[in-house]
Amino acid sequence: MAFFTYLHVAVSTRLAELRRDGERGDSPVPTAVIIFGLVAAAATVTAIVATKAEGWMNAIEGPGSTP
């Protein structure tokens, strides 16, 4: 029975400490929004570079053609 009393006091004390500490960090939502924005920007840049590279590769004449 003493173990349960100790456990109850320990949990109650810890919860009181957590309630007293008002600053617990930033929520994960802004971080997720920033990550989503960076992924969208990277995908856009990758698509633009791939399109430009494909156009450049298609502009090169194949073997056997005369300039």
Side-chain angles (χ1 to χ4, degrees):
M1 190 67 174
F3 174 73
F4 292 116
T5 304
Y6 170 76
L7 188 62
H8 176 13
V9 170
V11 170
S12 298
T13 305
R14 181 64 181 143
L15 288 175
E17 288 174 3
L18 290 175
R19 281 190 212 110
R20 188 177 29 220
D21 187 18
E23 179 59 37
R24 296 201 38 200
D26 200 11
S27 73
V29 174
T31 304
V33 170
I34 291 170
I35 290 172
F36 178 76
L38 289 173
V39 168
T44 303
V45 169
T46 301
I48 291 171
V49 168
T51 303
K52 295 283 185 182
E54 188 175 341
W56 180 64
M57 293 294 284
N58 289 336
I60 297 174
E61 296 179 9
S65 58
T66 53

